[in-house]
Amino acid sequence: MNVTFYTSPAYSHTLSNWQTKTEMVSYVTILLLVIIWCRIKWNRRFIDRFAAKIPGPPSYPIIGSGLEFVGTSHDVMNNFIKLNEQYGPEPFKIWLGSSLALNVTKPEDLQIILNNSNAFDRGKLAELMSSAFGEGLITAPIPKWKVNRRIISPFFNTSSINKFMSIFNKKNATFILNLQKELGDSETFDIWNYVNSVSVNSICEAALGYHHDAQDKNISEFIDSMKKITEQINVRLIKPWLYPDFIFNIYGKFTGLNQLYENLFKFPEKIIKERKSQYAQRKKTNHSSLNLTNNEEKQRPIFLDLLLELNDEGANFSNKYLRDEVVTMMIAGSETISINVCFCILMLAIYQDIQDKVYNEIYQIMGESDRIITIEDTVKFVYLEQCIKETLRLYPVTPIIVRYLQDDVKISNYTIPKDTTIFIPIIVTHRLAELYPNPLEYNPDNFDPEKVVNRHKYSFIPFSDGPRNCIGQKYAMLLMKVLLATFLRNYSVHTKYKMSDIKLKFELSIKNADGYQVTIRPRDRKPIYKI
């Protein structure tokens, strides 16, 4: 039986109109997409032409070279070093989604880039970090960075830093006492928490006037939150599909990021509130704004007080501005020092002969006395400084510097087009065999003065270089010297670790995946060998 469906002319006409409109919308949409694509390709024509000439790993739509960075933070670090072994030391490209990054390692090229005003911007990395830690000195956009740098610089001049010696000695005395619980135990322990507590408490008192000590719950919560947030930023950095804020916000809801931010900011905001109250009280009692709460503090500046003074003089810093600078100060003033000191202690535990030489230098300067270390002593710790620098060579805390070009920059063999991201893998430059013979060996003699003078200045840049270098490097070096000298005066350090056991992981800063496992023994304050 045949069945015939009747369709009214009105319905057919409506359907035809709907189909026509749908087709029109489709054609217009496709046309707009083609126009947008053509515009993007036109705007990117210089980058695409440049990229076509540069070698690099395979790239795929949307994810770019993302497959090269799949895995754990240890895998990411390992794969990145392998890419440099495969394509370096000449510049090579890495696609971050649809954005071009150029990997540059040669010192002569690094000098050009790090001193070029068109390469001061830190690009996407700064954006990702500022979304978590705010716009402090490290992450601030260029105009704000210039202002912040000018304000903060006086706090880190040599005269100011030398006044922190009493804090360093006091915190290190506590460090030595805390380590006593590890004596007599044949089992190794991770020295990280002990070292980190010294660096965190030192920066809290030196920069913020916060006097509470090691077991402070507020500090512990801040450190824990910082660690977890850093892990999330690292995940986002190596996965370009998480770059859009709306996608990362969804991702953040599943990982509890909002609560972590709240915990991170709680401590800095508490310090700011307390310091503001103390500052206002001092003004009420007709004291000078620099007249601090005790005689010791009168002799040295406190970073947060300087900001409050400028605020009082019309700077109009918001609470967020103050908080961002406090967070940046705490992170930069603790993480860098803790990582390098722990790596240095591990190196000295592996290389007992080098440890003996360092101890002998300390004994020659300090003798058997219990006197505290002075500024004059730290200048004489020459071989110890070489050990610190050699540790920074092998394990630079920030293994990769990122820059974003706001205009073309010419290096030795290429003119790099603007809108290119530059990767400067310090860890790779520091391990170039033409600069450092046997580059994977720990050898403090690499920093004998006669060897240093024969190398390019930019062959060793653990604190970056150029106008946007690390403003706190003198502070870091002084505290590291005091901390290591105090530790080695009191304890010898040992480990079952070998160099081949070290597994680097990358979480914005570089760390050993298994921590820093050592044992310690008390010193008898005698020279190891005849001086």
Side-chain angles (χ1 to χ4, degrees), residues 105-277:
T105 60
K106 290 186 175 180
E108 53 271 25
D109 291 335
L110 304 189
Q111 183 171 17
I112 294 169
I113 292 167
L114 291 175
N115 287 281
N116 193 304
S117 60
N118 292 312
F120 286 172
D121 196 304
R122 287 176 169 164
K124 195 66 185 179
L125 176 63
E127 288 179 31
L128 300 184
M129 290 181 67
S130 64
S131 67
F133 301 127
E135 292 186 347
L137 189 63
I138 294 175
T139 57
I142 295 173
K144 188 174 181 180
W145 161 73
K146 288 179 178 177
V147 174
N148 292 9
R149 179 98 180 191
R150 191 164 56 250
I151 292 170
I152 295 170
S153 288
F155 180 77
F156 285 108
N157 64 35
T158 302
S159 173
S160 296
I161 290 171
N162 289 350
K163 293 173 183 175
F164 298 144
M165 283 297 292
S166 60
I167 294 174
F168 296 166
N169 279 305
K170 180 171 61 176
K171 300 302 179 186
N172 277 289
T174 304
F175 169 58
I176 296 305
L177 287 173
N178 289 338
L179 280 172
Q180 287 183 355
K181 64 173 71 79
E182 303 292 349
L183 290 171
D185 194 341
S186 58
E187 292 297 316
T188 61
F189 69 97
D190 189 348
I191 202 167
W192 168 264
N193 286 336
Y194 293 100
V195 171
N196 197 41
S197 107
V198 178
S199 56
V200 170
N201 286 307
S202 294
I203 195 66
C204 280
E205 186 165 337
L208 311 176
Y210 187 79
H211 297 277
H212 295 265
D213 222 313
Q215 307 309 317
D216 191 302
K217 183 183 175 183
N218 293 304
I219 293 179
S220 300
E221 196 172 61
F222 175 88
I223 293 170
D224 185 56
S225 300
M226 179 182 72
K227 179 179 181 295
K228 291 174 180 175
I229 290 172
T230 299
E231 289 169 358
Q232 295 302 323
I233 295 173
N234 190 61
V235 168
R236 191 179 185 188
L237 180 65
I238 62 176
K239 295 180 178 178
W241 52 92
L242 291 177
Y243 283 5
D245 289 337
F246 78 95
I247 293 177
F248 189 68
N249 289 338
I250 295 171
Y251 173 82
K253 286 180 181 177
F254 289 101
T255 55
L257 265 179
N258 290 343
Q259 184 60 49
L260 289 175
Y261 289 145
E262 189 177 315
N263 293 341
L264 181 81
F265 296 141
K266 192 187 302 180
F267 179 51
E269 287 169 350
K270 174 179 180 287
I271 292 176
I272 292 167
K273 185 177 179 180
E274 288 180 0
R275 207 68 196 177
K276 274 186 171 181
S277 176

